[in-house]
Amino acid sequence: EAQVTQNPRYLITVTGKKLTVTCSQNMNHEYMSWYRQDPGLGLRQIYYSMNVEVTDKGDVPEGYKVSRKEKRNFPLILESPSPNQTSLYFCASRASGGRELFFGEGSRLTVL
Amino acid sequence: AQSVSQHNHHVILSEAASLELGCNYSYGGTVNLFWYVQYPGQHLQLLLKYFSGDPLVKGIKGFEAEFIKSKFSFNLRKPSVQWSDTAEYFCAAHSSGGYQKVTFGTGTKLQVIP
């Protein structure tokens, strides 16, 4: 089954404790992206990757890092989480030349 | 700058009522348009999309949208909503050439009352 898988789905952590949210897709998509969803703000892009070893900042990259060492994986790293990073995070992927985004189930992160 | 606007933030309807959610975009050149739906506690799913051709696009679950180029609009419609349509709806757009950054609207929460 074609899917985008994120882990963890729910996480409560404390300020400053490094965490990683994993994202994996099994559709051989070149393009992957991270979004955060906040009430009244819709989805805002954090980082994206056009292919392996190619990443770039989206609209709200501050406080986040990403890596793309393999085509299927695109982890989101919060080196020193802060309460303003409490949000619902979505990973998405798309084929090269494709136009539709496929989303993961979401990861709800709370930073205390 | 590219932008997508959804003017209705929260809509409450009774079952069987007709639905129209507004979406306006600001893009130069050719644009691809989408509506995604997010049911409570779930991820976003594609509802329908427009790339070219017939400006009236039909999607899943009886939804349709009309692309009106002169108004920069892509409004979502459904003639008769059901309780199961309760969800948040996002309009999205990207340019059809080059790197296709997707821009989302802020979403419209639809609540359907039985």
Side-chain angles (χ1 to χ4, degrees):
Chain A
E1 180 189 352
Q3 58 185 7
V4 179
T5 304
Q6 296 178 225
N7 279 296
R9 295 287 313 283
Y10 302 92
L11 179 63
I12 299 174
T13 190
V14 295
T15 298
K17 186 175 181 182
K18 179 180 178 180
L19 68 91
T20 299
V21 185
T22 63
C23 174
S24 180
Q25 50 93 6
N26 64 0
M27 296 170 278
N28 202 36
H29 285 169
E30 288 80 10
Y31 176 90
M32 298 184 74
S33 181
W34 277 103
Y35 296 87
R36 58 177 290 174
Q37 183 182 9
D38 301 289
L41 298 176
L43 275 79
R44 294 179 292 168
Q45 189 180 52
I46 303 170
Y47 268 94
Y48 65 93
S49 169
M50 300 285 281
N51 215 323
V52 175
E53 302 292 1
V54 181
T55 64
D56 208 346
K57 297 177 182 178
D59 299 315
V60 289
E62 295 78 19
Y64 305 94
K65 287 174 61 176
V66 293
S67 69
R68 187 91 183 273
K69 295 187 172 68
E70 304 165 285
K71 197 172 188 180
R72 64 183 291 126
N73 296 325
F74 190 45
L76 179 70
I77 303 156
L78 286 72
E79 293 271 0
S80 182
S82 62
N84 65 11
Q85 292 177 298
T86 292
S87 187
L88 178 59
Y89 292 87
F90 286 100
C91 180
S93 72
R94 187 176 73 207
S96 175
R99 309 181 203 189
E100 173 189 345
L101 285 168
F102 292 85
F103 285 87
E105 297 284 339
S107 296
R108 185 167 292 282
L109 171 65
T110 301
V111 183
L112 301 175
Chain B
Q2 299 165 337
S3 66
V4 175
S5 300
Q6 293 181 245
H7 305 295
N8 314 105
H9 299 295
H10 195 180
V11 174
I12 302 174
L13 294 173
S14 298
E15 271 192 318
S18 64
L19 169 73
E20 180 159 5
L21 301 182
C23 173
N24 289 92
Y25 63 93
S26 173
Y27 267 75
T30 306
V31 64
N32 296 323
L33 296 157
F34 307 81
W35 277 97
Y36 287 87
V37 60
Q38 184 180 29
Y39 297 104
Q42 296 188 25
H43 64 291
L44 278 79
Q45 305 168 47
L46 183 69
L47 200 55
L48 49 79
K49 57 193 175 187
Y50 173 78
F51 300 150
S52 63
D54 189 344
L56 185 61
V57 179
K58 295 195 184 298
I60 60 171
K61 304 187 180 187
F63 286 90
E64 65 178 30
E66 185 174 12
F67 170 61
I68 304 180
K69 190 175 181 179
S70 60
K71 295 185 178 180
F72 299 93
S73 70
F74 189 56
N75 293 354
L76 181 70
R77 300 196 292 248
K78 186 171 184 178
S80 176
V81 295
Q82 302 172 317
W83 176 78
S84 58
D85 294 324
T86 294
E88 190 159 15
Y89 294 81
F90 292 92
C91 184
H94 67 66
S95 300
S96 61
Y99 165 54
Q100 302 164 353
K101 179 179 185 243
V102 180
T103 300
F104 284 86
T106 53
T108 299
K109 284 190 177 177
L110 171 65
Q111 185 179 355
V112 180
I113 301 170

